[in-house]
Amino acid sequence: MSALVNPVTTWSQTSSVKDFQGLRSRSILPISFYLSKPTKKPINFSSNTLSAILTKEETKSSEKIPTFDFKKYMLEKANSVNKALEDAVSLRDPLKIHESMRYSLLAGGKRVRPMLCIAACELVGGDESTAMPAACAVEMIHTMSLMHDDLPVWTTTICAEIYGEDVAVLAGDALLAFSFEHIAIATKGVSSERIVRVIGELAKCIGSEGLVAGQVVDICSEGMTEVGLDHLEFIHLHKTAALLEGSVVLGAILGGANDDEVEKLRKFARNIGLLFQVVDDILDVTKSSQELGKTAGKDLVADKTTYPKLLGIEKSREFAEKLNREAQEQLVGFDSVRAAPLIALANYIAYRDN
């Protein structure tokens, strides 16, 4: 099995899970009002005057610390992506294959990967329309991975039940092929050099050294009695984090990021990708099925190797906080307003309840 797992030759490891650092404390300072000199006459504030002063101070405060509505942002981006996907994969001949593609692709979801692509593009000065073809492409590939991962050879997929296993396989293949075509022909206002770079990046992150590598090692690990932390991290960095990383990097390249910015965002995405899995493992053993909205304790019943199994609950939580902190550290130096969606997403992944 060791021959299958050699993270050094492909994707670099994240920080070691040993020697966790504590969270930095943050102090919140109260807002105070000061008068420069004492006055001889008492100051009489009418209710209207006081209200005006407080309103002015609240306005100043809100200007200094702008709020970010993450839920609203996610809904807006999801709606934009859904419309773009609807337009991209239209019904045409052969009808059955395109119906199958649309059935799986338009089934709904949070559209986290497209959102990451768009947010990264906007972070470095690009806009949504520039990133949208790539954002759609990563969602097509994510859908393909679910369709293939859920085929009857592993479990049962609704698409395979409705259209047949053979058509479900071909629909996934078609989405994979079309994802690259869509980037190539639909991306506007970006140099051909950057588009070629994006296509190469996407191919690498989902191929035999990316997402597929994680899936293969995961399959080959079934039934193994000893799976260490490095082995587990390799699986999740590839199977889960690879496409998240690709989503962010694609957006950054299309938005005009320089090489240093691309690498910072690559590290950010890799950390939140691993963070997602660590939190998922914790929730599986700490929440009920009702709270999760899915069957809890599946990993425990299947005797699957997880972070809580190897580290324990508390150490797994510390590792999750460390990953979140290190992810957000990669965003230091970027415009804080433009970075807000990525910061909010990292916190959402870290502190979600299901």
Side-chain angles (χ1 to χ4, degrees):
M1 189 63 225
S2 60
L4 282 172
V5 184
N6 187 5
V8 176
T9 62
T10 54
W11 297 56
S12 62
Q13 295 282 313
T14 56
S15 303
S16 170
V17 294
K18 301 174 183 177
D19 303 324
F20 299 115
Q21 300 174 6
L23 290 173
R24 294 187 178 92
S25 60
R26 297 179 180 176
S27 59
I28 302 175
L29 299 176
I31 299 174
S32 302
F33 296 93
Y34 296 93
L35 292 174
S36 58
K37 294 181 181 179
T39 57
K40 293 181 180 179
K41 296 181 180 180
I43 301 175
N44 295 318
F45 289 115
S46 68
S47 59
N48 290 337
T49 304
L50 184 57
S51 176
I53 291 173
L54 290 175
T55 301
K56 185 177 180 181
E57 291 301 327
E58 288 171 359
T59 302
K60 288 181 180 178
S61 177
S62 66
E63 287 174 354
K64 292 178 182 177
I65 309 173
T67 57
F68 177 72
D69 191 335
F70 179 60
K71 184 177 180 180
K72 179 182 177 183
Y73 180 89
M74 285 291 288
L75 287 173
E76 288 176 351
K77 295 305 181 190
N79 288 336
S80 296
V81 170
N82 287 336
K83 184 180 184 305
L85 289 171
E86 174 89 26
D87 293 340
V89 185
S90 59
L91 280 175
R92 52 190 183 272
D93 290 331
L95 195 60
K96 191 171 185 179
I97 189 67
H98 289 101
E99 283 181 345
S100 179
M101 291 164 67
R102 285 171 59 86
Y103 180 86
S104 297
L105 187 62
L106 304 177
K110 296 183 179 70
R111 309 303 191 194
V112 171
R113 289 157 190 82
M115 190 279 282
L116 281 169
C117 184
I118 293 168
C121 184
E122 293 176 334
L123 175 64
V124 297
D127 53 44
E128 179 180 295
S129 61
T130 301
M132 188 58 78
C136 289
V138 295
E139 191 66 11
M140 292 174 196
I141 291 171
H142 174 58
T143 301
M144 174 277 298
S145 73
L146 296 178
M147 293 170 74
H148 285 183
D149 198 38
D150 288 344
L151 284 169
V153 289
W154 285 286
T155 180
T156 302
T157 173
I158 296 175
C159 184
E161 289 178 350
I162 294 175
Y163 295 98
E165 183 180 350
D166 49 358
V167 174
V169 171
L170 292 171
D173 294 344
L175 283 172
L176 176 60
F178 185 63
S179 66
F180 290 94
E181 178 186 342
H182 191 57
I183 291 175
I185 67 174
T187 305
K188 306 298 180 185
V190 180
S191 68
S192 56
E193 181 183 358
R194 284 188 180 269
I195 293 176
V196 169
R197 185 180 173 190
V198 159
I199 290 173
E201 186 76 38
L202 182 58
K204 184 176 180 180
C205 82
I206 65 172
S208 61
E209 294 184 351
L211 182 141
V212 170
Q215 290 177 320
V216 168
V217 175
D218 191 27
I219 291 168
C220 294
S221 300
E222 292 179 6
M224 288 182 63
T225 55
E226 294 184 7
V227 175
L229 282 172
D230 287 346
H231 189 114
L232 185 63
E233 188 170 292
F234 179 92
I235 291 171
H236 295 314
L237 277 175
H238 293 71
K239 187 176 179 180
T240 303
L243 190 54
L244 290 170
E245 179 179 330
S247 302
V248 171
V249 171
L250 265 56
I253 294 171
L254 291 168
N258 61 42
D259 289 346
D260 288 341
E261 290 171 333
V262 167
E263 289 311 306
K264 282 184 177 182
L265 290 171
R266 187 188 299 280
K267 291 176 184 176
F268 164 82
R270 195 172 296 170
N271 274 284
I272 65 168
L274 192 54
L275 171 65
F276 184 93
Q277 188 61 52
V278 175
V279 172
D280 219 41
D281 287 355
I282 294 170
L283 292 176
D284 189 65
V285 294
T286 59
K287 298 291 183 179
S288 66
S289 297
Q290 184 177 1
E291 289 173 311
L292 290 177
K294 61 181 181 180
T295 305
K298 289 191 299 183
D299 294 341
L300 193 63
V301 171
D303 196 28
K304 189 176 180 180
T305 301
T306 63
Y307 285 96
K309 183 177 179 180
L310 294 179
L311 296 175
I313 297 292
E314 289 309 311
K315 286 293 183 183
S316 295
R317 284 175 173 153
E318 290 176 19
F319 185 38
E321 292 194 2
K322 179 174 182 285
L323 289 168
N324 186 20
R325 183 175 64 251
E326 291 182 350
Q328 295 193 38
E329 285 173 355
Q330 299 304 317
L331 301 178
V332 174
F334 289 102
D335 180 89
S336 59
V337 174
R338 290 177 177 174
L342 295 178
I343 293 171
L345 180 68
N347 286 329
Y348 165 76
I349 291 172
Y351 303 118
R352 62 196 171 97
D353 293 322
N354 52 42

